[in-house]
């Protein structure tokens, strides 16, 4: 179980990589004062935590209600994560997340941007939600599920600190540095996605085990 928890934290850290949201955050808050920037970051990261906690507690029930097996969801989620990983290792154009410029044209400057699109889907999108449901469904006890929620809280705090340091991180790393980080995260995510796909195929076709 300890290994599984490490996998969960690692997967969420990659998927909820705040570096992808740094440019969008800087764009939306360019004319905000420090207090407003802090409030936007707080709301965004709280939304990330609430989303993780919700799908940890109710994700399996949603799948059961829709008649979707965990094995099928693992394969679908793994393929989705692999596509995200490929985009991170190439030009960074995520097929399941909107481009910052496109979203910026549609959303006005308000605290609402902290929820959509900054938190959802830029920080926690279909890939992150799928991962939360997949791993939480494997947990046998409520204590195990609470471990995932605590991990989600830690990751949300990490995202908040990253957003508040967005300007310094952007100046320090530059476009090249952020690109390198995304590619490294993409390689890690690709490996995790293959593990999820294999486990899903074993669940659907037991003879593969």
């Amino acid at each position: 179980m300890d290994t599984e928890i490490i996998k969960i934290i690692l997967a969420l850290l990659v998927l909820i990589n705040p570096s992808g949201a740094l440019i969008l955050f800087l764009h939306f808050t360019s004319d905000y004062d420090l207090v407003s920037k802090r409030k936007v970051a707080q709301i965004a990261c709280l939304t990330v935590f609430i989303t993780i906690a919700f799908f940890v507690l109710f994700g399996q029930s949603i799948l059961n209600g829709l008649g979707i097996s965990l094995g099928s969801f693992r394969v679908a989620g793994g393929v989705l994560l692999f596509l995200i990983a490929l985009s991170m290792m190439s030009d960074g154009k995520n097929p399941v997340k909107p481009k910052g410029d496109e979203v910026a044209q549609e959303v006005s400057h308000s605290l609402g941007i902290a929820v959509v699109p900054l938190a959802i889907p830029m920080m926690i999108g279909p890939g992150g939600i799928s991962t939360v449901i997949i791993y939480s469904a494997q947990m046998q006890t409520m204590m195990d599920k609470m471990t995932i929620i605590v991990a989600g809280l830690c990751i949300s705090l990490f995202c908040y600190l990253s957003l508040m340091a967005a300007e310094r991180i952007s100046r320090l790393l530059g476009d090249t540095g952020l690109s390198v980080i995304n590619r490294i995260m993409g390689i890690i995510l690709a490996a995790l996605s293959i593990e999820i796909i294999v486990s899903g195929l074993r669940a659907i076709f037991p003879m593969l085990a």
Side-chain angles (χ1 to χ4, degrees), residues 123-144:
M123 296 175 72
I124 176 79
I129 292 173
S130 299
T131 300
V132 169
I133 294 177
I134 289 170
Y135 281 119
S136 64
Q138 301 176 19
M139 300 304 167
Q140 302 299 320
T141 66
M142 181 56 65
M143 184 61 66
D144 292 332

Side-chain angles (χ1 to χ4, degrees), residues 76-99:
V79 171
L80 177 61
L81 298 188
F82 188 75
L83 291 176
I84 296 175
L86 288 180
S87 72
M88 293 173 69
M89 290 185 289
S90 57
D91 57 6
K93 294 180 180 178
N94 195 323
V96 296
K97 289 187 179 181
K99 292 172 64 178

Side-chain angles (χ1 to χ4, degrees), residues 160-188:
Y160 172 74
L161 295 176
S162 298
L163 290 180
M164 291 308 300
E167 293 184 8
R168 282 173 287 180
I169 293 175
S170 180
R171 287 196 299 265
L172 178 64
L173 298 178
D175 293 338
T176 302
L178 291 176
S179 178
V180 170
I181 291 177
N182 277 335
R183 280 164 170 74
I184 294 174
M185 292 294 189
I187 294 173
I188 297 173

Side-chain angles (χ1 to χ4, degrees), residues 7-145:
K7 286 183 178 180
I8 295 168
I9 294 175
L10 183 59
L12 290 178
L13 278 174
V14 173
L15 285 168
I16 310 179
N17 177 15
S19 65
L22 289 182
I23 296 177
L24 189 63
F25 177 77
L26 291 172
H27 175 82
F28 281 138
T29 61
S30 59
D31 57 350
Y32 284 23
D33 57 24
L34 181 59
V35 174
S36 297
K37 288 183 179 181
R38 184 178 293 115
K39 190 168 185 179
V40 169
Q42 289 172 347
I43 295 175
C45 296
L46 179 61
T47 301
V48 170
F49 171 68
I50 291 175
T51 303
I52 292 174
F54 176 83
F55 283 101
V56 166
L57 296 174
F58 304 108
Q60 182 64 52
S61 299
I62 293 174
L63 288 184
N64 293 338
L66 295 175
I68 301 174
S69 70
L70 182 58
S72 298
F73 194 81
R74 283 177 181 169
V75 173
V79 171
L80 177 61
L81 298 188
F82 188 75
L83 291 176
I84 296 175
L86 288 180
S87 72
M88 293 173 69
M89 290 185 289
S90 57
D91 57 6
K93 294 180 180 178
N94 195 323
V96 296
K97 289 187 179 181
K99 292 172 64 178
D101 292 341
E102 294 175 354
V103 177
Q105 295 174 0
E106 301 176 1
V107 183
S108 61
H109 281 193
S110 68
L111 292 178
I113 65 172
V115 178
V116 179
L118 190 57
I120 304 172
M122 285 303 295
M123 296 175 72
I124 176 79
I129 292 173
S130 299
T131 300
V132 169
I133 294 177
I134 289 170
Y135 281 119
S136 64
Q138 301 176 19
M139 300 304 167
Q140 302 299 320
T141 66
M142 181 56 65
M143 184 61 66
D144 292 332
K145 291 182 182 291

